[in-house]
Structures are given as C-alpha cells and as structure tokens.
C-alpha cells in the first residue's frame, strides 16, 4: 500500500512555505526521505477549499496513484478571513466529509493564526537578506501582511499576497 500526503493551501506563497517545512522535516528523518508521496495544491484563496480542493483531489491526485493508496489530506488555511465574520464563509465539516466520501483517509486542518505572513516573519533575517535590506531594518505594521508590504516597498518591490516571490 502506498501513502500520499496532500497539502491544499491558499496561495503560491503557502506552497513554497510548506515545501520548505517538508524539506526541513526530511533533514531530521534518519533516512533523509519519507516513504510517502507528497502533493501540494494551491486552491487560490480560502474559497477554493469549498470549490476547488475536492475537484483537484479526485481529478488530479487520485488518478496518479493506485487504488490502494492511503491519502492523508492537510487543509492549510489562514484565520484572518474569519476573525470578524459573524458567519464563517467555509463549513470545514462539510469539506472534510466530501473528501472522506471520495477516498481521503485522515484529514488534518492546519490554521495559521491570522495569516501565513505572520509565520513568514519568524524568518526575518531570511526576508531581509532576500530583499537585500540591512539587518537593522525596522519592521513595522499592524499585521504580518502589512509588515511584508512595507519591507518590500523599502526594497522597491511589491508584495502580492499569495503570489510566489522569485529570485533576488
């Protein structure tokens, strides 16, 4: 029986973030690798969990693996969309139920407190190096997204939420 870990994320930046998380975990594994296939899929924002994740799972992912493959699905979302919503836009229970009905085994929901940009800031040295800003550059803003926007602006660049930043 083969195993597959499927990470559904909100945007390109999250794909890159979770690829790095997995790469770091691989370094800690004695064999330097896992016996699990890993698939990353961008659902294009929080609404994509409701409308895109199931389609990508059934049409793009399940078709690549044998019928006896054991799928673990990880739904990686930000909580910033739900902070002030009286009625959250996503019914996670329904999404999980549909995925399970279509062959998902275990389903894990990872929620970034606020937004993924807040997590990115834990690597402020790497961000400053990427942007070629000095180590003593002041970081200010009301949240992670605002702070990244300001840092990018100082480097004469524009930060786009959910879009991968390429090269230096």
């Amino acid at each position: 029986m083969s195993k597959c870990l499927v990470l559904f994320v909100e945007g390109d930046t999250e794909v890159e973030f979770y690829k790095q998380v997995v790469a770091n975990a691989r370094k800690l594994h004695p064999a330097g690798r896992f016996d699990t296939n890993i698939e990353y899929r961008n659902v294009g924002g929080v609404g994509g969990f409701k409308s895109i994740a199931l389609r990508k799972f059934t049409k793009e992912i399940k078709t690549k693996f044998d019928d006896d493959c054991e799928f673990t699905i990880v739904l990686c979302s930000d909580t910033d969309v739900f902070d002030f919503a009286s009625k959250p836009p996503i019914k996670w229970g329904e999404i999980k139920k549909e995925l399970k009905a279509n062959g998902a085994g275990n389903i894990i929901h990872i929620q970034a407190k606020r937004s993924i940009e807040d997590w990115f800031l834990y690597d402020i040295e790497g961000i400053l190096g990427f942007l070629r800003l000095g180590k003593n550059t002041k970081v200010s803003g009301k949240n992670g997204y605002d702070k990244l926007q300001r840092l990018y602006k100082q480097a004469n660049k524009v930060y786009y939420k959910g879009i991968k930043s390429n090269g230096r």
Side-chain angles (χ1 to χ4, degrees):
M1 176 185 293
S2 59
K3 293 188 272 184
C4 184
L5 177 68
V6 183
L7 289 98
F8 286 111
V9 301
E10 290 185 25
D12 290 337
T13 51
E14 285 89 347
V15 169
E16 296 306 313
F17 174 78
Y18 286 105
K19 280 183 179 179
Q20 191 60 49
V21 168
V22 169
N24 288 339
R26 276 193 180 117
K27 289 177 192 172
L28 297 173
H29 193 276
R33 63 181 314 271
F34 300 124
D35 64 346
T36 303
N37 296 295
I38 302 175
E39 297 282 330
Y40 305 87
R41 291 296 186 276
N42 174 358
V43 296
V46 72
F49 287 104
K50 186 165 57 175
S51 60
I52 297 171
L54 180 62
R55 180 174 44 82
K56 285 186 180 252
F57 177 59
T58 57
K59 304 268 192 244
E60 293 178 15
I61 297 167
K62 279 187 69 178
T63 57
K64 290 172 62 174
F65 299 95
D66 294 332
D67 290 339
D68 69 342
C69 186
E70 182 182 309
F71 292 97
T72 297
I73 306 289
V74 183
L75 306 171
C76 307
S77 64
D78 295 347
T79 61
D80 59 341
V81 174
F82 309 109
D83 282 347
F84 303 107
S86 58
K87 188 176 179 188
I90 303 296
K91 295 179 180 171
W92 294 107
E94 289 179 15
I95 292 168
K96 292 174 185 177
K97 184 178 176 182
E98 286 180 16
L99 287 166
K100 280 200 178 260
N102 283 277
N106 190 22
I107 298 177
I108 301 165
H109 190 185
I110 296 176
Q111 293 181 292
K113 192 76 170 158
R114 303 268 184 248
S115 70
I116 196 74
E117 287 82 6
D118 293 298
W119 288 25
F120 292 164
L121 290 169
Y122 282 103
D123 183 25
I124 191 62
E125 288 179 20
I127 293 168
L128 293 175
F130 174 78
L131 295 173
R132 296 187 179 174
L133 295 172
K135 290 182 181 181
N136 295 324
T137 300
K138 184 180 180 211
V139 180
S140 64
K142 62 182 181 244
N143 56 42
Y145 175 68
D146 187 42
K147 289 174 184 175
L148 279 177
Q149 277 192 313
R150 291 174 189 228
L151 286 170
Y152 270 67
K153 188 173 184 177
Q154 287 180 49
N156 295 318
K157 297 177 186 263
V158 179
Y159 178 76
Y160 295 100
K161 185 171 183 63
I163 305 295
K164 180 181 175 184
S165 295
N166 290 321
R168 292 179 182 229

